[in-house]
């Protein structure tokens, strides 16, 4: 059983602030940077481990999920987290490439593109688009085909954001780019909606509850925190838990509408009134 712990990998504790986590990561990323460890075959693997730990702990939502598992399952939290989170899930939205680009500017190291291509192999791809009035460099970390816990892979990212393209005009531009230039722009996935039911006591006091999250025919339980004094009909947003994006675009969000279950006596009165 793998007893790895993300906090231990970065040398921080569970009470560390986001800034402390980032500073710890930057120190380790600099220490194990491939350009400073050309003769150390273990440095690349170490770098991957600290990248993964930082990607989780620097994201408030992922860190909250990991902390809940850690408080419930202790040393086996990492294993359980990796059972329900693929590498694509973990690295989605991370700013790791920006840290490596900063090292390149400050210390003359190779840029993130070359480093990641060397470390992650064919999963990493990039290309540059130059057209009149448009210039952008697209950086892709293609998701691994292995199951969660296998080889790590970053999700698609872009160095230069592309403005949202929606409506008829947006669809026309996407079609022309794909047809004429062979370019398929990333497109955000659709948002999903669902309902969760809580008791009046849970709504008043707040509660952490399991939610059966279904994706591509598979179900995994997510820990959802319902804040105290939430009102009937309010929604809880789970970022990135909606439909997958197209061509490397960000996934949509999942919105859970809270329904407060009426007490038994109140439901009986309602039934008699019908």
């Amino acid at each position: 059983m793998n007893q790895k712990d993300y906090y231990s990998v970065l040398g921080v504790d569970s009470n560390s602030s986001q800034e402390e986590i980032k500073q710890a990561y930057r120190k380790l990323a600099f220490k194990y940077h491939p350009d400073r460890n050309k003769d150390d075959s273990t440095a690349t693997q170490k770098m991957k481990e600290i990248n993964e730990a930082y990607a989780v702990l620097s994201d408030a939502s992922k860190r909250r999920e990991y902390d809940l598992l850690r408080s419930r399952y202790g040393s086996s939290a990492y294993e359980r987290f990796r059972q329900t989170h693929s590498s694509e899930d973990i690295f989605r939205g991370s700013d790791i490439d920006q840290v490596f680009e900063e090292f390149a500017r400050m210390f003359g190291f190779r840029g993130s593109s070359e480093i990641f291509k060397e470390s992650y192999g064919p999963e990493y791809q990039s290309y540059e688009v130059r057209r009149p009035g448009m210039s952008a460099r697209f950086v892709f970390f293609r998701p691994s085909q292995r199951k969660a816990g296998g080889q790590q892979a970053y999700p698609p990212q872009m160095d230069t954001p592309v403005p949202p393209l929606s409506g008829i005009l947006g669809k026309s531009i996407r079609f022309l780019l794909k047809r004429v230039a062979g370019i398929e722009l990333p497109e955000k996935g659709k948002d999903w909606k669902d309902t969760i039911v809580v008791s009046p006591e849970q709504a008043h006091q707040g509660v952490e509850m399991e939610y059966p999250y279904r994706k591509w025919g598979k179900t995994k339980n997510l820990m959802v925190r319902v804040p105290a004094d939430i009102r009937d009909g309010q929604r809880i947003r789970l970022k990135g838990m909606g439909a997958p994006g197209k061509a490397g675009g960000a996934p949509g969000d999942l919105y859970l509408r809270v329904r407060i279950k009426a007490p038994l006596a109140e439901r009986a009165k309602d039934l008699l009134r019908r």
Side-chain angles (χ1 to χ4, degrees):
M1 181 179 293
N2 197 330
Q3 302 297 322
K4 187 187 299 181
D5 176 68
Y6 288 135
Y7 288 101
S8 297
V9 169
L10 293 184
V12 297
D13 59 50
S14 58
N15 295 319
S16 296
S17 66
Q18 291 298 100
E19 182 61 27
E20 289 171 332
I21 287 173
K22 184 164 188 174
Q23 290 304 318
Y25 168 70
R26 287 171 60 87
K27 289 179 181 179
L28 290 172
F30 181 77
K31 178 179 179 180
Y32 292 102
H33 194 289
D35 286 357
R36 303 184 71 239
N37 297 273
K38 295 181 179 180
D39 298 326
D40 184 357
S41 58
T42 65
T44 297
Q45 182 57 37
K46 183 66 177 178
M47 185 190 75
K48 289 182 178 182
E49 290 180 2
I50 63 176
N51 283 349
E52 179 178 334
Y54 174 69
V56 172
L57 299 184
S58 62
D59 183 283
S61 177
K62 297 185 185 81
R63 182 180 181 181
R64 183 166 58 250
E65 287 188 57
Y66 179 68
D67 285 346
L68 288 172
L69 291 173
R70 199 166 179 258
S71 64
R72 177 173 295 189
Y73 300 107
S75 60
S76 62
Y78 168 80
E79 182 183 21
R80 289 181 175 272
F81 188 83
R82 289 302 269 131
Q83 286 174 355
T84 57
H85 291 73
S86 67
S87 294
E88 181 182 5
D89 296 330
I90 287 175
F91 286 101
R92 182 179 294 118
S94 173
D95 64 346
I96 289 173
D97 61 318
Q98 298 174 23
V99 174
F100 277 83
E101 283 300 316
E102 185 177 339
F103 286 164
R105 292 192 297 270
M106 293 175 62
F107 306 107
F109 294 158
R110 289 175 294 167
S112 60
S113 177
E114 189 173 349
I115 291 295
F116 295 146
K117 186 176 295 184
E118 177 184 280
S119 301
Y120 293 92
E123 291 174 336
Y124 174 90
Q125 294 187 23
S126 66
Y127 61 89
E128 190 170 358
V129 177
R130 289 186 180 276
R131 297 289 186 274
M134 175 184 175
S135 178
R137 186 164 72 92
F138 297 81
V139 177
F140 286 87
F141 287 91
R142 297 189 180 276
S144 172
Q145 297 302 314
R146 301 186 184 184
K147 295 181 180 180
Q151 184 175 351
Q152 297 176 7
Y154 290 118
Q157 297 181 3
M158 290 195 310
D159 282 3
T160 304
V162 175
L165 299 175
S166 58
I168 297 177
L169 178 60
K171 290 181 179 179
S172 299
I173 293 175
R174 290 181 181 279
F175 175 79
L176 288 173
L177 282 173
K178 186 175 181 179
R179 184 70 177 271
V180 177
I183 300 170
E184 188 172 4
L185 294 179
E187 184 176 357
K188 186 177 184 292
K190 293 182 179 180
D191 294 334
W192 287 343
K193 299 177 182 179
D194 201 356
T195 301
I196 56 174
V197 180
V198 299
S199 68
E201 293 77 13
Q202 291 173 326
H204 175 64
Q205 298 175 6
V207 65
E208 292 174 357
M209 59 190 301
E210 289 188 346
Y211 168 77
Y213 173 67
R214 298 176 180 86
K215 184 177 182 181
W216 299 315
K218 297 181 179 180
T219 301
K220 66 178 181 181
N221 289 331
L222 297 180
M223 296 303 298
V224 177
R225 186 188 299 274
V226 178
D229 295 322
I230 195 166
R231 297 190 302 274
D232 187 73
Q234 284 190 295
R235 299 190 304 171
I236 298 173
R237 178 193 179 203
L238 299 181
K239 184 178 179 182
M241 292 297 181
K246 297 180 181 179
D253 301 326
L254 171 61
Y255 289 90
L256 299 178
R257 180 178 176 274
V258 176
R259 184 167 69 85
I260 300 176
K261 182 170 54 178
L264 181 60
E266 194 172 311
R267 280 182 284 165
K269 289 181 181 179
D270 182 64
L271 184 62
L272 292 172
R273 285 195 296 264
R274 295 180 182 179

